Amino acid sequence: QVQLVESGGGVVQPGRSLRLSCAASGFMFRHYGMHWVRQAPGKGLEWVAVIWSDGSNKIYADSVKGRFTISKDNSMNTLYLQMNNLRDDDTAMYYCAGDGGSMPFDPWGQGTLVTVSS
Amino acid sequence: ENVLTQSPGTLSLSPGERATLSCRASQSVIRSYLAWYQQKPGQAPRLLVYGASTRAAGTPDRFSGSGSGTDFTLTISRLEPEDFAVYYCQQYVTSPWTFGQGTKVEIK
């Protein structure tokens, strides 16, 4: 069945780095653009970054630009988010989500929690 | 950035009642690329409606979306116990993709 499984979250100190992964199965991953969306505790959804299906284009939210890097390995059916220079306000559940091309976000993963704290 | 504003923030209703959720965009949503998601505690969001009015696979027909331009509505005709959740609208036509702040539908 269609599935996205995130991993790599955890507790990290401010200024440190973390890499999230999102493993896809059950659909044509290479044909999908992929997004990262985050949700701070008790808050709403915030779009973070997108990568085109072939990896040719990447766009970031202003809040993470210059610190986060999205990448996609179509041979491994895996999406990544490299997060550098983490700040307290990056604390959130991070979801990956698929985009079949000018489409809404579907499917979604179950999320991985990132906590930035000293 | 196209800012989406949802109202009300919280809707207190009883099972069997009708729920009407609003989403207003600061700029026109081109081609009505407006989606609604449902999120329950501890779960990821789930796509309910896209293209303003097309139900996603598996969405019960008590859910209906409408609207165009800057004003959109999600209606739940008769609330079932499993419908009490938070609902988000989203525009997916222009970067940055934006979500509304959410409407919580709670049991009265």
Side-chain angles (χ1 to χ4, degrees):
Chain A
Q1 76 277 21
V2 173
Q3 197 170 17
L4 291 171
V5 179
E6 299 94 335
S7 59
V11 180
V12 61
Q13 293 178 326
R16 303 297 293 263
S17 299
L18 207 59
R19 189 176 85 153
L20 306 183
S21 299
C22 167
S25 59
F27 66 101
M28 299 292 276
F29 181 74
R30 65 180 180 273
H31 291 164
Y32 274 66
M34 294 297 297
H35 300 259
W36 287 99
V37 176
R38 68 185 181 183
Q39 186 170 36
K43 303 297 184 183
L45 302 170
E46 179 190 14
W47 172 79
V48 172
V50 63
I51 186 168
W52 263 226
S53 59
D54 61 358
S56 60
N57 196 19
K58 306 171 186 182
I59 306 174
Y60 299 91
D62 286 345
S63 57
V64 306
K65 200 174 296 182
R67 300 188 299 122
F68 289 12
T69 302
I70 189 171
S71 60
K72 188 176 189 270
D73 186 338
N74 285 337
S75 67
M76 296 290 290
N77 284 352
T78 303
L79 174 73
Y80 301 99
L81 186 67
Q82 177 67 43
M83 305 185 294
N84 297 333
N85 191 20
L86 282 160
R87 309 186 305 215
D88 290 350
D89 61 0
D90 294 317
T91 293
M93 183 70 78
Y94 284 75
Y95 297 100
C96 60
D99 168 357
S102 297
M103 291 293 286
F105 295 3
D106 187 50
W108 292 69
Q110 85 291 348
T112 188
L113 182 61
V114 173
T115 303
V116 183
S117 173
S118 53
Chain B
E1 174 174 329
N2 198 345
V3 176
L4 303 183
T5 302
Q6 292 184 240
S7 61
T10 302
L11 205 47
S12 298
L13 295 168
S14 301
E17 290 194 292
R18 181 185 187 90
T20 303
L21 288 67
S22 174
C23 176
R24 177 161 291 178
S26 62
Q27 305 165 34
S28 183
V29 179
I30 301 166
R31 295 193 290 272
S32 293
Y33 277 10
L34 191 288
W36 290 92
Y37 299 86
Q38 177 192 66
Q39 187 178 35
K40 297 179 180 179
Q43 296 185 17
R46 168 197 164 201
L47 176 66
L48 288 179
V49 170
Y50 63 96
S53 60
T54 302
R55 279 187 292 272
T59 300
D61 60 8
R62 63 181 179 273
F63 291 89
S64 63
S66 63
S68 64
T70 60
D71 289 295
F72 299 88
T73 300
L74 177 70
T75 302
I76 312 171
S77 59
R78 288 178 57 87
L79 283 163
E80 297 287 341
E82 62 267 28
D83 299 337
F84 292 92
V86 180
Y87 294 84
Y88 295 94
C89 61
Q90 179 215 21
Q91 66 82 19
Y92 54 95
V93 66
T94 58
S95 167
W97 288 256
T98 48
F99 294 88
Q101 82 280 17
T103 290
K104 181 179 182 180
V105 178
E106 65 176 21
I107 299 176
K108 186 174 181 179

